[in-house]
Amino acid sequence: MYPILPERPADAAQIDSLLDLAFGSDRTRKTVYRLREGVAHIKSLAFVVRDEDGIVLGSIRYWPVMIGEAATPAIMLGPVAVHPDYQGQGIGRALIRHSLYAATRLNHGLCILVGDKPYYEPFGFVNAADRGMEMPGWVERERFQVMELAAGALQGVGGMVGKPAKGGSRKKAAA
């Protein structure tokens, strides 16, 4: 297994190429990209796996979001990508476990994502729409998921997911 390392600014071009390879160049048309536009990813939750030559084989990032009229802060996982030649080796799962642990240690309370239910369910993700959350645009209901990173963080949370307020505080939703 390769070590999981913090993303460096110099990794950006390789990560973009990896994302195009893993998801196609039309990936930016998806709803989650509307929530990312003009918002910086959370640098403390951006990790990569590199081979011995420094080539990025896997990457994960998170983005700040707000949920509902109460503007409950949360983080949005994604994208997570692994080079097709290295898929099935546990790199993606390791990146997810590592980063969710880091998010918990940084006192983030909620994490949302849009992804395959069978893949993310073992990490503790549940259907977000069933808990009264909505995405601003079309997503497959069963792919919209949420996970409590702090006990009780989901209590009373619902509504539309949106971008964080510009210049607003980044208070964390923790119980």
Side-chain angles (χ1 to χ4, degrees):
M1 188 53 143
Y2 301 95
I4 296 172
L5 304 166
E7 178 186 315
R8 305 176 302 202
D11 295 328
Q14 284 192 60
I15 290 170
D16 282 342
S17 294
L18 175 64
L19 294 174
D20 283 346
L21 184 62
F23 300 112
S25 59
D26 64 342
R27 65 186 162 83
T28 60
R29 295 182 186 165
K30 296 181 179 183
T31 295
V32 291
Y33 277 87
R34 301 298 71 79
L35 292 168
R36 296 176 188 150
E37 286 176 345
V39 178
H41 67 273
I42 303 169
K43 303 220 182 321
S44 59
L45 295 177
F47 299 98
V48 296
V49 169
R50 294 186 201 95
D51 70 8
E52 57 278 351
D53 296 321
I55 304 300
V56 174
L57 304 178
S59 167
I60 192 166
R61 288 178 172 167
Y62 290 77
W63 307 80
V65 293
M66 296 290 185
I67 302 171
E69 289 185 22
T72 303
I75 57 175
M76 182 173 61
L77 186 161
V80 58
V82 176
H83 190 285
D85 292 346
Y86 294 85
Q87 290 177 359
Q89 297 181 23
I91 293 172
R93 284 180 172 83
L95 282 165
I96 293 166
R97 276 192 302 275
H98 180 87
S99 60
L100 286 172
Y101 178 74
T104 301
R105 291 190 46 97
L106 291 170
N107 296 317
H108 291 282
L110 290 173
C111 180
I112 65 164
L113 63 83
V114 176
D116 293 327
K117 178 183 176 183
Y119 187 81
Y120 289 100
E121 197 172 48
F123 295 102
F125 285 91
V126 296
N127 188 282
D130 288 348
R131 276 130 187 104
M133 293 179 210
E134 303 172 60
M135 287 292 276
W138 186 86
V139 296
E140 294 175 60
R141 181 182 173 88
E142 66 275 3
R143 294 175 55 83
F144 180 32
Q145 300 172 62
V146 64
M147 177 182 176
E148 278 188 331
L149 299 174
L154 264 173
Q155 187 172 353
V157 177
M160 186 65 68
V161 175
K163 293 181 182 186
K166 292 198 187 272
S169 68
R170 281 263 308 129
K171 71 175 186 169
K172 297 180 175 87

